[in-house]
Amino acid sequence: MKLLGISLGEGNTKVGENVMTFSLPSKTTCPGASTWCLKHCYAGRYERNRPCCRTAYEANLALTNDPQKFAETFIGVLPRIFTCFRIHVGGDFYSPDYCDAWVQICRAFPQTLFWVYTRSWNVPELLEPLERLRSLPNIQVFASIDPDMPLPPREWRRAFVSADERAVGISCNSQMGVHGSCYVCGICFRRRHGDVVFKVH
């Protein structure tokens, strides 16, 4: 779906048909990515296999170069009635101003449940704006972690990969075949506490 130049994913069998998504190009917008992450990046593989998605994500990135305009445009075009929204199937928070754009967006849609996994918490200049985002009542921000990364601040929800010997938490029910999609499961965006563990894919 493309609305005033913003490309949105309309859901799929993994996240759920009722979930909208927004992505940026992988790796180039991921300042917190570790060596392990760059080597195993599933979003990068997806973009290589589907060049049209990479093109759409690059267009999204260009729009975010003016974070305030991006937030205003996003708020103006996004449908008002939808249940949940996944931020960054690909890409990550790459600047404080971009983080704050999402603070504005989430505040504009208090009825919507947002969720996101980020490694940008490991970038000192991004931790404070991510804390502002994380403080909002309608978004769950997970600190993504892999074997090459330290642990995040204690109060953060954590998203581990199963290859990490420190991994604790609920195994992703969608990956385990317990639930058909993120939307059906809801652990990541309906719950306020608890860590999750993802299989490497």
Side-chain angles (χ1 to χ4, degrees), residues 47-61:
E47 291 165 21
R48 287 195 298 272
N49 293 332
R50 298 192 177 188
C52 61
C53 290
R54 177 75 183 193
T55 300
Y57 298 167
E58 288 174 345
N60 282 347
L61 176 60

Side-chain angles (χ1 to χ4, degrees), residues 17 44 46 53 61 67 89 100 108 125 140 157 163 168 192:
E17 299 299 333
Y46 183 82
C53 290
L61 176 60
V89 175
D100 287 335
E125 68 175 12
Q140 291 297 298
R157 295 186 77 179
V168 292
R192 301 291 299 176

Side-chain angles (χ1 to χ4, degrees), residues 63-78 80 82 85 87 93 95-112 114 128-139 141:
L63 291 170
T64 69
N65 287 335
D66 184 338
Q68 183 59 40
K69 183 177 180 181
F70 164 69
E72 291 171 357
T73 301
F74 202 104
I75 291 167
V77 301
L78 204 62
R80 289 285 153 184
F82 62 99
F85 194 101
I87 304 171
F93 299 103
S95 75
D97 288 344
Y98 177 63
C99 292
D100 287 335
W102 279 104
V103 171
Q104 291 185 56
I105 292 167
C106 290
R107 284 175 174 163
F109 295 90
Q111 79 286 359
T112 300
F114 293 84
E128 183 177 343
L130 285 172
E131 289 284 12
R132 286 195 291 272
L133 183 63
R134 200 176 70 85
S135 71
L136 300 179
N138 62 326
I139 184 169
V141 180

Side-chain angles (χ1 to χ4, degrees), residues 182-198:
C182 299
Y183 182 79
V184 174
C185 174
I187 286 173
C188 290
F189 57 89
R190 292 193 182 100
R191 288 192 184 182
R192 301 291 299 176
H193 304 284
D195 300 333
V196 293
V197 180
F198 293 97

Side-chain angles (χ1 to χ4, degrees), residues 18-54:
N18 300 317
V19 179
M20 301 181 77
T21 65
F22 177 85
S23 292
L24 296 175
S26 62
K27 300 183 180 181
T28 58
T29 64
C30 301
S34 67
T35 301
W36 188 98
C37 180
L38 293 173
K39 180 180 179 181
H40 294 88
C41 180
Y42 75 91
R45 294 194 302 272
Y46 183 82
E47 291 165 21
R48 287 195 298 272
N49 293 332
R50 298 192 177 188
C52 61
C53 290
R54 177 75 183 193

Side-chain angles (χ1 to χ4, degrees), residues 11-13 26 54 84 86 92 111 116 124 127 135-136 177-179:
N12 54 41
T13 55
S26 62
R54 177 75 183 193
C84 53
R86 164 84 187 271
D92 209 336
Q111 79 286 359
V116 62
L127 182 58
S135 71
L136 300 179
V178 177
H179 295 294

